[in-house]
Coordinates of all heavy atoms in Angstrom, one line a residue:
M3 N 335.2 -71.7 72.9 CA 336.4 -71.8 73.7 C 337.3 -72.9 73.3 O 336.8 -73.9 72.8 CB 336.0 -72.1 75.2 CG 335.2 -71.0 75.8 SD 336.1 -69.5 76.2 CE 336.6 -69.9 77.9
K4 N 338.6 -72.7 73.4 CA 339.5 -73.8 73.1 C 340.2 -74.3 74.3 O 340.4 -73.6 75.3 CB 340.5 -73.3 72.0 CG 341.3 -72.1 72.3 CD 342.2 -71.7 71.2 CE 343.1 -70.6 71.6 NZ 344.1 -70.3 70.5
A5 N 340.7 -75.5 74.2 CA 341.3 -76.2 75.3 C 342.5 -77.0 74.8 O 342.4 -77.5 73.7 CB 340.3 -77.0 76.1
P6 N 343.5 -77.2 75.6 CA 344.6 -78.0 75.1 C 344.2 -79.5 75.1 O 343.5 -79.9 76.0 CB 345.7 -77.8 76.1 CG 345.1 -77.2 77.4 CD 343.8 -76.6 76.9
D7 N 344.7 -80.2 74.1 CA 344.4 -81.6 73.9 C 345.7 -82.3 73.7 O 346.5 -81.9 72.9 CB 343.4 -81.7 72.7 CG 343.0 -83.2 72.5 OD1 342.2 -83.7 73.3 OD2 343.6 -83.8 71.5
V8 N 345.8 -83.5 74.3 CA 347.0 -84.3 74.1 C 346.7 -85.6 73.3 O 345.8 -86.3 73.7 CB 347.6 -84.7 75.5 CG1 348.8 -85.6 75.3 CG2 348.0 -83.5 76.3
D9 N 347.4 -85.8 72.2 CA 347.3 -87.1 71.5 C 348.1 -88.1 72.2 O 349.4 -88.1 72.0 CB 347.7 -86.8 70.0 CG 347.6 -88.1 69.2 OD1 347.4 -89.2 69.7 OD2 347.6 -88.0 67.9
L10 N 347.5 -88.9 73.0 CA 348.2 -89.9 73.8 C 348.9 -90.9 73.0 O 349.9 -91.6 73.4 CB 347.3 -90.6 74.8 CG 346.7 -89.7 75.9 CD1 345.7 -90.4 76.7 CD2 347.8 -89.1 76.7
S11 N 348.5 -91.1 71.7 CA 349.2 -92.1 70.9 C 350.6 -91.7 70.5 O 351.4 -92.5 70.1 CB 348.3 -92.4 69.6 OG 348.3 -91.3 68.8
L12 N 350.8 -90.4 70.6 CA 352.1 -89.8 70.2 C 353.0 -89.5 71.4 O 354.2 -89.3 71.3 CB 352.0 -88.6 69.3 CG 351.3 -88.8 68.0 CD1 351.1 -87.5 67.3 CD2 352.1 -89.8 67.1
C13 N 352.3 -89.3 72.6 CA 353.0 -88.8 73.8 C 354.1 -89.7 74.2 O 353.9 -90.9 74.4 CB 352.0 -88.6 74.9 SG 352.7 -88.1 76.5
S14 N 355.3 -89.2 74.5 CA 356.4 -90.0 74.9 C 356.6 -89.9 76.4 O 357.6 -90.4 76.9 CB 357.7 -89.5 74.2 OG 358.0 -88.1 74.6
M15 N 355.7 -89.2 77.1 CA 355.8 -89.1 78.6 C 357.1 -88.4 79.1 O 357.6 -88.8 80.1 CB 355.6 -90.5 79.3 CG 354.3 -91.1 79.0 SD 353.0 -90.1 79.7 CE 353.3 -90.2 81.4
C16 N 357.5 -87.4 78.3 CA 358.7 -86.7 78.7 C 358.5 -85.8 79.9 O 359.5 -85.5 80.6 CB 359.3 -85.9 77.5 SG 358.2 -84.4 77.2
G17 N 357.3 -85.4 80.2 CA 357.0 -84.6 81.4 C 357.1 -83.1 81.3 O 356.9 -82.4 82.2
I18 N 357.6 -82.7 80.1 CA 357.8 -81.2 79.9 C 356.5 -80.4 80.2 O 356.5 -79.4 80.8 CB 358.3 -80.9 78.5 CG1 359.8 -81.4 78.5 CG2 358.2 -79.5 78.1 CD1 360.5 -81.2 77.1
C19 N 355.4 -80.9 79.7 CA 354.1 -80.2 79.8 C 353.7 -80.0 81.3 O 353.2 -79.0 81.7 CB 353.0 -80.8 79.0 SG 352.7 -82.5 79.4
V20 N 354.0 -81.1 82.1 CA 353.7 -81.1 83.5 C 354.6 -80.1 84.2 O 354.2 -79.3 85.1 CB 353.8 -82.5 84.1 CG1 353.5 -82.4 85.6 CG2 352.8 -83.4 83.4
D21 N 355.9 -80.1 83.8 CA 356.8 -79.2 84.4 C 356.5 -77.7 84.2 O 356.5 -76.9 85.1 CB 358.2 -79.4 83.9 CG 358.8 -80.7 84.4 OD1 358.3 -81.2 85.4 OD2 359.8 -81.2 83.9
L22 N 356.1 -77.4 82.9 CA 355.8 -76.1 82.5 C 354.4 -75.6 83.0 O 354.2 -74.4 83.3 CB 355.8 -75.9 81.0 CG 357.2 -76.0 80.4 CD1 357.1 -76.0 78.9 CD2 358.1 -74.8 80.9
C23 N 353.4 -76.5 83.0 CA 352.0 -76.1 83.3 C 351.4 -77.2 84.3 O 350.5 -77.9 83.9 CB 351.2 -76.1 82.0 SG 351.8 -74.9 80.8
P24 N 351.9 -77.2 85.5 CA 351.4 -78.2 86.5 C 349.9 -78.0 86.9 O 349.4 -79.0 87.4 CB 352.3 -78.0 87.7 CG 352.8 -76.6 87.6 CD 352.9 -76.3 86.1
L25 N 349.3 -76.9 86.6 CA 347.9 -76.7 86.9 C 347.0 -77.1 85.8 O 345.8 -77.2 85.9 CB 347.7 -75.3 87.3 CG 348.5 -74.7 88.5 CD1 348.2 -73.3 88.8 CD2 348.2 -75.6 89.7
T26 N 347.6 -77.4 84.6 CA 346.9 -77.8 83.4 C 347.0 -79.3 83.1 O 346.0 -80.0 82.8 CB 347.3 -77.0 82.2 OG1 347.2 -75.6 82.5 CG2 346.5 -77.3 81.0
F27 N 348.3 -79.8 83.2 CA 348.5 -81.2 82.9 C 349.0 -82.0 84.1 O 349.7 -81.4 85.0 CB 349.7 -81.3 81.8 CG 349.4 -80.5 80.6 CD1 350.0 -79.2 80.4 CD2 348.6 -81.0 79.6 CE1 349.7 -78.5 79.2 CE2 348.4 -80.3 78.4 CZ 348.9 -79.0 78.2
K28 N 348.7 -83.2 84.2 CA 349.2 -84.1 85.2 C 349.4 -85.5 84.7 O 348.8 -85.9 83.6 CB 348.4 -84.1 86.4 CG 347.2 -85.0 86.4 CD 346.6 -85.2 87.8 CE 345.5 -86.3 87.7 NZ 345.0 -86.7 89.0
I29 N 350.2 -86.3 85.3 CA 350.3 -87.7 85.0 C 349.3 -88.4 85.9 O 349.3 -88.3 87.1 CB 351.7 -88.2 85.3 CG1 352.7 -87.5 84.4 CG2 351.8 -89.7 85.0 CD1 354.2 -87.9 84.7
N30 N 348.3 -89.0 85.3 CA 347.2 -89.6 86.1 C 347.6 -91.0 86.6 O 348.7 -91.5 86.4 CB 345.9 -89.6 85.3 CG 346.0 -90.6 84.1 OD1 346.8 -91.4 84.0 ND2 345.1 -90.3 83.1
D31 N 346.7 -91.6 87.4 CA 346.9 -92.8 88.0 C 347.3 -94.0 87.0 O 348.0 -94.9 87.4 CB 345.8 -93.3 88.9 CG 345.6 -92.3 90.1 OD1 346.6 -91.6 90.4 OD2 344.5 -92.3 90.7
A32 N 346.8 -93.8 85.8 CA 347.0 -94.8 84.8 C 348.4 -94.6 84.1 O 348.8 -95.4 83.3 CB 345.9 -94.8 83.7
G33 N 349.0 -93.5 84.5 CA 350.4 -93.2 83.9 C 350.4 -92.4 82.7 O 351.4 -92.4 82.0
Y34 N 349.2 -91.8 82.3 CA 349.1 -91.0 81.1 C 348.9 -89.6 81.4 O 348.4 -89.2 82.5 CB 348.0 -91.5 80.2 CG 348.1 -92.9 79.7 CD1 347.4 -94.0 80.3 CD2 349.0 -93.2 78.7 CE1 347.6 -95.3 79.8 CE2 349.2 -94.5 78.3 CZ 348.5 -95.5 78.8 OH 348.6 -96.8 78.4
I35 N 349.3 -88.7 80.5 CA 349.1 -87.3 80.6 C 347.6 -87.0 80.5 O 346.9 -87.5 79.7 CB 349.8 -86.5 79.5 CG1 351.4 -86.6 79.7 CG2 349.4 -85.0 79.6 CD1 351.9 -86.0 81.0
E36 N 347.1 -86.2 81.4 CA 345.7 -85.8 81.4 C 345.6 -84.3 81.6 O 346.4 -83.7 82.3 CB 345.0 -86.5 82.6 CG 343.6 -86.2 82.8 CD 343.0 -87.0 83.9 OE1 343.5 -88.1 84.3 OE2 342.0 -86.5 84.5
V37 N 344.7 -83.7 80.9 CA 344.4 -82.3 81.0 C 343.4 -82.1 82.2 O 342.3 -82.5 82.1 CB 343.8 -81.7 79.7 CG1 343.4 -80.2 79.9 CG2 344.8 -81.8 78.6
I38 N 343.9 -81.6 83.3 CA 343.1 -81.5 84.5 C 342.3 -80.2 84.6 O 341.3 -80.1 85.2 CB 343.9 -81.7 85.8 CG1 345.1 -80.8 85.8 CG2 344.3 -83.2 85.9 CD1 345.9 -80.8 87.1
H39 N 342.9 -79.2 83.9 CA 342.2 -77.9 83.9 C 342.6 -77.1 82.6 O 343.8 -76.8 82.5 CB 342.5 -77.1 85.1 CG 341.6 -75.9 85.3 ND1 341.4 -75.0 84.3 CD2 340.8 -75.4 86.3 CE1 340.5 -74.0 84.7 NE2 340.2 -74.3 85.9
P40 N 341.8 -76.9 81.6 CA 342.2 -76.4 80.4 C 342.8 -75.0 80.5 O 343.5 -74.5 79.6 CB 340.9 -76.3 79.5 CG 339.8 -76.9 80.4 CD 340.3 -77.3 81.7
Y41 N 342.4 -74.3 81.6 CA 342.9 -72.9 81.8 C 343.7 -72.8 83.1 O 343.7 -71.7 83.7 CB 341.8 -71.9 81.7 CG 340.9 -72.2 80.5 CD1 339.7 -72.8 80.7 CD2 341.3 -71.9 79.2 CE1 338.9 -73.1 79.6 CE2 340.6 -72.2 78.1 CZ 339.3 -72.8 78.3 OH 338.5 -73.1 77.3
G42 N 344.2 -73.9 83.6 CA 344.9 -73.9 84.8 C 346.1 -73.0 84.8 O 346.5 -72.3 85.8
D43 N 346.8 -72.9 83.7 CA 348.0 -72.0 83.6 C 347.6 -71.0 82.5 O 346.6 -71.1 81.7 CB 349.2 -72.8 83.2 CG 349.6 -73.8 84.3 OD1 350.3 -73.4 85.2 OD2 349.1 -75.0 84.2
S44 N 348.5 -70.0 82.3 CA 348.2 -69.0 81.3 C 348.3 -69.5 79.9 O 349.0 -70.5 79.7 CB 349.2 -67.8 81.5 OG 350.5 -68.2 81.1
Q45 N 347.6 -68.9 79.0 CA 347.7 -69.3 77.6 C 349.1 -69.3 77.1 O 349.5 -70.1 76.3 CB 346.8 -68.5 76.8 CG 346.6 -69.0 75.3 CD 345.4 -68.4 74.6 OE1 344.4 -68.0 75.3 NE2 345.5 -68.2 73.3
E46 N 349.9 -68.3 77.6 CA 351.3 -68.2 77.1 C 352.1 -69.4 77.6 O 352.9 -69.9 76.8 CB 351.8 -66.9 77.8 CG 353.2 -66.5 77.3 CD 353.6 -65.2 77.9 OE1 354.0 -65.2 79.1 OE2 353.6 -64.2 77.2
D47 N 351.9 -69.8 78.8 CA 352.6 -71.0 79.3 C 352.2 -72.3 78.6 O 353.0 -73.1 78.3 CB 352.4 -71.2 80.8 CG 353.2 -70.1 81.6 OD1 354.0 -69.5 81.1 OD2 352.9 -70.0 82.9
I48 N 350.9 -72.4 78.3 CA 350.4 -73.6 77.6 C 351.0 -73.6 76.2 O 351.4 -74.6 75.7 CB 348.9 -73.6 77.6 CG1 348.3 -73.8 79.0 CG2 348.4 -74.7 76.7 CD1 346.8 -73.7 79.2
N49 N 351.0 -72.4 75.6 CA 351.7 -72.3 74.2 C 353.1 -72.7 74.3 O 353.6 -73.3 73.4 CB 351.5 -70.9 73.7 CG 350.1 -70.7 73.1 OD1 349.5 -71.6 72.6 ND2 349.7 -69.4 73.1
E50 N 353.8 -72.4 75.4 CA 355.2 -72.8 75.5 C 355.3 -74.3 75.6 O 356.2 -74.9 75.0 CB 355.8 -72.1 76.8 CG 357.3 -72.4 76.9 CD 357.9 -71.6 78.1 OE1 357.2 -70.8 78.7 OE2 359.1 -71.9 78.4
A51 N 354.4 -74.9 76.4 CA 354.4 -76.4 76.5 C 354.1 -77.0 75.1 O 354.7 -78.0 74.7 CB 353.3 -76.8 77.5
I52 N 353.2 -76.4 74.3 CA 352.9 -76.9 73.0 C 354.2 -76.8 72.1 O 354.5 -77.8 71.4 CB 351.8 -76.1 72.3 CG1 350.4 -76.5 73.0 CG2 351.7 -76.4 70.8 CD1 349.3 -75.6 72.6
R53 N 354.9 -75.7 72.2 CA 356.1 -75.5 71.4 C 357.2 -76.5 71.9 O 358.0 -77.1 71.1 CB 356.7 -74.1 71.6 CG 356.1 -73.1 70.7 CD 356.9 -71.8 70.6 NE 357.1 -71.2 72.0 CZ 356.3 -70.4 72.6 NH1 355.2 -70.0 72.0 NH2 356.6 -69.9 73.7
D54 N 357.3 -76.7 73.2 CA 358.4 -77.5 73.7 C 358.1 -79.0 73.7 O 359.0 -79.8 73.9 CB 358.8 -77.1 75.2 CG 359.5 -75.7 75.2 OD1 359.7 -75.2 74.1 OD2 359.8 -75.2 76.3
C55 N 356.9 -79.4 73.5 CA 356.6 -80.9 73.5 C 357.4 -81.6 72.4 O 357.3 -81.3 71.3 CB 355.1 -81.0 73.3 SG 354.6 -82.8 73.0
R56 N 358.2 -82.5 72.9 CA 359.1 -83.2 71.9 C 358.3 -84.0 70.9 O 358.9 -84.3 69.8 CB 360.1 -84.0 72.7 CG 361.0 -83.2 73.5 CD 361.9 -84.1 74.4 NE 362.7 -83.2 75.3 CZ 363.4 -83.7 76.3 NH1 363.4 -85.0 76.5 NH2 364.1 -82.9 77.0
S57 N 357.1 -84.5 71.2 CA 356.4 -85.3 70.3 C 355.4 -84.5 69.5 O 354.7 -85.1 68.7 CB 355.7 -86.4 71.1 OG 356.7 -87.2 71.8
D58 N 355.3 -83.2 69.7 CA 354.4 -82.4 69.0 C 353.0 -82.9 69.1 O 352.3 -83.0 68.1 CB 354.9 -82.3 67.5 CG 354.3 -81.1 66.8 OD1 353.9 -80.1 67.5 OD2 354.3 -81.1 65.6
C59 N 352.6 -83.3 70.3 CA 351.3 -83.9 70.4 C 350.3 -83.2 71.2 O 349.2 -83.7 71.6 CB 351.4 -85.4 70.9 SG 352.2 -85.5 72.6
I60 N 350.6 -81.9 71.5 CA 349.6 -81.1 72.2 C 349.1 -80.0 71.2 O 349.9 -79.4 70.5 CB 350.2 -80.3 73.4 CG1 351.0 -81.2 74.3 CG2 349.1 -79.6 74.2 CD1 351.8 -80.5 75.4
S61 N 347.8 -79.8 71.2 CA 347.2 -78.8 70.3 C 346.0 -78.2 71.0 O 345.5 -78.8 71.9 CB 346.8 -79.5 69.0 OG 345.9 -80.5 69.2
W62 N 345.6 -77.1 70.4 CA 344.4 -76.4 70.9 C 343.2 -77.0 70.2 O 343.2 -77.1 68.9 CB 344.4 -74.9 70.7 CG 345.4 -74.2 71.5 CD1 346.6 -73.6 71.2 CD2 345.2 -73.9 72.9 NE1 347.1 -73.0 72.3 CE2 346.3 -73.1 73.3 CE3 344.2 -74.1 73.9 CZ2 346.5 -72.7 74.6 CZ3 344.3 -73.6 75.1 CH2 345.4 -72.9 75.5
K63 N 342.2 -77.4 70.9 CA 341.0 -78.0 70.3 C 339.8 -77.2 70.7 O 339.8 -76.7 71.9 CB 340.8 -79.4 70.6 CG 341.8 -80.4 70.0 CD 341.3 -81.0 68.7 CE 342.4 -81.7 67.9 NZ 342.9 -82.9 68.6
E64 N 338.8 -77.0 69.9 CA 337.6 -76.4 70.3 C 336.9 -77.2 71.4 O 336.8 -78.4 71.3 CB 336.7 -76.2 69.2 CG 337.1 -75.1 68.2 CD 337.2 -73.7 68.9 OE1 336.3 -73.4 69.7 OE2 338.1 -73.0 68.6
S65 N 336.5 -76.6 72.5 CA 335.8 -77.3 73.5 C 334.4 -76.6 73.7 O 334.2 -75.5 73.1 CB 336.5 -77.2 74.8 OG 336.6 -75.9 75.3
Q66 N 333.6 -77.2 74.5 CA 332.2 -76.7 74.6 C 332.1 -75.7 75.8 O 332.8 -75.8 76.7 CB 331.2 -77.8 74.8 CG 331.3 -78.7 73.6 CD 330.3 -79.8 73.7 OE1 329.4 -79.8 74.5 NE2 330.4 -80.8 72.7
Ligands
SF4_21 S1 355.3 -82.6 76.6 FE1 354.2 -83.8 75.0 S2 355.3 -85.7 74.9 FE2 355.9 -84.7 76.8 S3 354.6 -85.6 78.4 FE3 353.6 -83.7 77.6 S4 352.3 -84.3 76.0 FE4 353.6 -86.0 76.3

């Protein structure tokens, strides 16, 4: 199975991923993007977030 992964060292906190996939990404209490549910939104919507991410820091990673 694969899951979206955010490279926080590149993330500019633009918020696009949260706007597009609010069930998958959120801004956590520490102020960083967190993947709260790898399949919270459709794969199509997550792919759109990956395409639209201005910092190109979301990718699919193999998960267990
Ligand atoms: S879209 Fe990319 S740069 Fe913007 S908040 Fe999400 S992970 Fe960070």
